[in-house]
Amino acid sequence: MKKIKYIITMIIICCTAISYAAEISVSSRLGYSPAVGGSMSSGWQTENLDAPDGINSINRSQSGAGVSTVEVPTGAIAGADLRIIKDFIYYRAGIEYVYMISGGKGKTIDPATSEIVEVKYNQWSFDVPLTAGVALLFWGESRIYLGGGFAFAYGTYSNSFKSASFDHSASFTGYAVPLVAEAGCEYMLNESVSAGCDIKYIYGKSRVIEDGSDYARVDFSGFHISASAAYHFNI
């Protein structure tokens, strides 16, 4: 509830700042996340595959067994945001969609039976970050910024484990209000258009969610690295 109150406060500040802002920018961005979903751990993995840390402890090998490494999932990011700058202070609201595009699947060994287990993880999410911070202009054409805040995040994490002895799958949909830290830079290509890059770290998980015999949290934590194009205008 406290975090929700902070987000409402940030929205009010952003709306109030519009009437005094010297500059507004609207941008679109594309990027990637080098690690999606955290450990992707769940209760069923801990109890049945002795993998309490999910993807970080699921990989096992055995001589002569046809296993393949379950790699850490990476994700693609698409987003847009609105930023208001007054002097050297900025307020920013945006939306991002994250979808897993590689990793998260392979074959491992069931330590109890030595059977081959086909493993598959998947996750998608979107987040609405609200941040504020410092934006410094250099040489009249370059700007760097550093800030932080909160986000509303919603998404679904699913897993699947198949062997000769079992066929388990589960899906968990939840939300959280994670912390956000961000830094970036941009270069003005002309009076109204800029190109930039951005790195953001989100930290937060949902509450524990149950699905049949399994339970887990949706982990929204991770780095978001993106490139952007923005249109600027003054009011």
Side-chain angles (χ1 to χ4, degrees), residues 53-69:
D53 199 20
I55 200 169
N56 298 320
S57 55
I58 197 70
N59 288 301
R60 300 184 181 92
S61 61
Q62 180 176 291
S63 179
V67 299
S68 57
T69 302

Side-chain angles (χ1 to χ4, degrees), residues 90 92 131-135 145-149 180-184 199-201:
Y90 77 86
R92 186 178 186 181
T131 57
V134 177
Y145 55 89
L146 178 68
V180 178
E182 64 183 6
I199 183 167
K200 181 182 302 176
Y201 183 71

Side-chain angles (χ1 to χ4, degrees), residues 110 113 115-118 161-168:
D110 183 342
T113 63
E115 293 177 349
I116 297 292
V117 181
E118 294 183 18
F161 307 95
K162 297 181 180 180
S163 75
S165 301
F166 55 76
D167 184 352
H168 169 83

Side-chain angles (χ1 to χ4, degrees), residues 31-41 53-56 70-78 96-105 120-127 154-158 201-202 204-205 217-225:
Y32 84 105
S33 175
V36 176
S39 69
M40 293 192 162
S41 60
D53 199 20
I55 200 169
N56 298 320
V70 183
E71 301 286 354
V72 173
T74 60
I77 297 173
E96 290 184 328
Y97 178 70
V98 184
Y99 185 78
M100 203 179 95
I101 56 173
S102 67
K105 60 183 178 181
K120 185 175 182 180
Y121 299 100
N122 196 26
Q123 182 164 316
W124 65 265
S125 65
F126 73 83
D127 58 88
Y154 177 88
T156 296
Y157 151 55
S158 61
Y201 183 71
I202 295 181
K205 302 178 182 180
R217 299 176 186 268
V218 182
D219 193 344
F220 301 99
S221 303
F223 284 97
H224 294 184
I225 302 168

Side-chain angles (χ1 to χ4, degrees), residues 168-193:
H168 169 83
S169 62
S171 181
F172 313 93
T173 299
Y175 67 91
V177 184
L179 298 170
V180 178
E182 64 183 6
C185 61
E186 61 185 7
Y187 179 79
M188 297 301 298
L189 302 176
N190 55 44
E191 291 184 357
S192 57
V193 177

